């Protein structure tokens, strides 16, 4: 009987209090699980909000950076355009100074030649003064002081001509007209400079500086964005003065004019010719830079 009682106690149903306690523990666990899930959901929501805020801030920063880059790019382009215009103006002024130096050198050479001619003439006069006229018995010939001048082969002293008869001509000498035109180009008096260079070509088309005058007519038109007129002027330099030292500059400028007129193929062909024909020169470097800007190679 005692063993049966013990077996029944061991294998019989659990007391009601133990079951209730397990149910309460289970409910508490469920409540904690639900609370943990809610906390996790709240944390996920907060993290999503933070991430969304960070993404929006990043997008704003990217937009601001794009705006800044656009502003920098525009500023750079404006600066490049302004620098290019200033370089063109400075190049024209430097060319003007170089032309002035070349002009002065040419004038000095002419003065040296004139001085040599005058010295030779004076030596001839001195030699004739030192030798008596034939048949004059040692006395100076009467025609020496005659207002009619020398009598040709009779041995009388020849007189130096005063410079020839006055003739009507241009409004100024070649040197003065050219210098005035250069001064007006540097002073940006383009209409007056154009007229002066045209007058120079009209009256002095055979001088050494005629090709320069024609070149500067192209420069004036180029600086005023008159690219077709500039192209015509540069073509005249190339065709009429093929041996001029302005030919390289004229061909380079011709390429720039063709580019401005939208004739890209012709511009590339002309600029490549400058690079090939005038290697190592400033014109070749500027032509290569323009080809690179146009997306073309120099070769």
């Amino acid at each position: 009987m005692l063993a049966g009682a013990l077996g029944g106690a061991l294998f019989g149903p659990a007391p009601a209090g133990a079951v209730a306690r397990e149910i309460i523990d289970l409910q508490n666990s469920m409540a904690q699980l639900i609370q943990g899930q809610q906390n996790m959901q709240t944390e996920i929501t907060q993290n999503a909000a933070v991430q969304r805020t960070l993404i929006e801030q990043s997008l704003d920063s990217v937009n601001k950076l794009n705006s800044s880059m656009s502003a920098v790019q525009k500023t750079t382009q404006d600066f490049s355009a302004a620098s290019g215009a200033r370089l063109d103006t400075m190049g024209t002024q430097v060319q003007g100074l170089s032309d002035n130096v070349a002009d002065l050198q040419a004038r000095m050479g002419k003065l040296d030649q004139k001085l040599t001619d005058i010295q030779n003439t004076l030596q001839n006069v001195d030699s004739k003064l030192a030798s008596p006229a034939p048949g004059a018995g040692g006395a100076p010939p009467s025609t020496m002081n005659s207002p009619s001048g020398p009598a040709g082969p009779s041995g009388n002293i020849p007189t130096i001509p005063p410079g020839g008869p006055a003739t009507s001509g241009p409004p100024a000498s070649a040197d003065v007209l050219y210098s005035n035109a250069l001064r007006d180009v540097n002073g940006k008096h383009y209409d007056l400079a154009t007229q002066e260079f045209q007058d120079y070509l009209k009256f002095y088309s055979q001088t050494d500086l005629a090709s320069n005058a024609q070149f500067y007519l192209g420069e004036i038109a180029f600086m005023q964005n008159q690219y077709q007129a500039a192209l015509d002027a540069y073509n005249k330099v190339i065709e009429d003065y093929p041996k001029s030292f302005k030919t390289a500059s004229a061909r380079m400028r011709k390429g720039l004019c063709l580019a401005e007129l939208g004739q890209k193929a012709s511009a590339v062909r002309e600029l490549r010719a400058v690079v090939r024909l005038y290697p190592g020169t400033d014109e070749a470097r500027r032509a290569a830079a323009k080809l690179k800007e146009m997306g073309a190679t120099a070769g």
Side-chain angles (χ1 to χ4, degrees), residues 18-77:
V19 174
R21 191 164 48 253
E22 291 179 357
I23 293 174
I24 292 172
D25 292 339
L26 183 59
Q27 290 176 345
N28 291 334
S29 298
M30 289 297 295
Q32 291 176 358
L33 182 60
I34 293 172
Q35 183 64 38
Q37 185 179 4
Q38 291 176 349
N39 293 338
M40 185 180 295
Q41 183 67 35
T42 302
E43 186 176 355
I44 291 172
T45 303
Q46 291 175 350
N47 289 337
V50 171
Q51 290 178 355
R52 185 164 51 251
T53 302
L54 292 175
I55 291 172
E56 291 176 352
Q57 291 176 351
S58 299
L59 290 175
D60 290 340
S61 299
V62 170
N63 291 333
K64 290 179 181 179
L65 181 60
N66 288 334
S67 299
S68 300
M69 290 297 295
S70 298
V72 170
Q73 185 177 7
K74 185 177 184 303
T75 303
T76 303
Q77 291 175 348

Side-chain angles (χ1 to χ4, degrees), residues 213-223 226 229-231 233-234 257:
Q214 182 62 53
F215 177 80
Y216 280 114
L217 287 175
E219 291 290 273
I220 293 170
F222 189 91
M223 287 185 287
Q226 299 173 1
L231 179 63
Y234 295 137
C257 287

Side-chain angles (χ1 to χ4, degrees), residues 242-299:
K243 296 183 179 180
S244 170
F245 70 95
K246 287 293 185 185
T247 303
S249 297
R251 295 199 67 170
M252 184 271 293
R253 288 296 210 182
K254 176 182 177 180
L256 299 183
C257 287
L258 290 169
E260 294 293 341
L261 292 171
Q263 302 177 28
K264 183 176 179 179
S266 298
V268 169
R269 184 168 55 252
E270 190 66 31
L271 293 172
R272 283 176 175 172
V274 173
V275 174
R276 185 181 69 257
L277 295 174
Y278 310 101
T281 63
D282 181 65
E283 288 80 6
R285 286 189 291 271
R286 296 184 66 180
K290 185 61 178 179
L291 286 168
K292 183 178 180 181
E293 178 185 333
M294 296 171 65
T297 60

Side-chain angles (χ1 to χ4, degrees), residues 174-246:
D175 295 336
V176 172
L177 190 58
Y178 187 85
S179 298
N180 289 343
L182 277 183
R183 180 199 62 210
D184 290 327
V185 168
N186 293 329
K188 298 184 179 181
H189 305 303
Y190 296 136
D191 292 341
L192 183 57
T194 298
Q195 184 60 52
E196 288 166 338
F197 280 128
Q198 288 175 345
D199 288 342
Y200 190 94
L201 291 172
K202 178 181 179 182
F203 294 106
Y204 306 108
S205 60
Q206 302 303 316
T207 63
D208 295 336
L209 295 176
S211 62
N212 294 34
Q214 182 62 53
F215 177 80
Y216 280 114
L217 287 175
E219 291 290 273
I220 293 170
F222 189 91
M223 287 185 287
Q224 293 179 301
N225 299 329
Q226 299 173 1
Y227 299 116
Q228 184 59 54
L231 179 63
D232 295 339
Y234 295 137
N235 278 329
K236 286 186 68 67
V237 175
I238 298 167
E239 295 168 2
D240 296 348
Y241 309 96
K243 296 183 179 180
S244 170
F245 70 95
K246 287 293 185 185

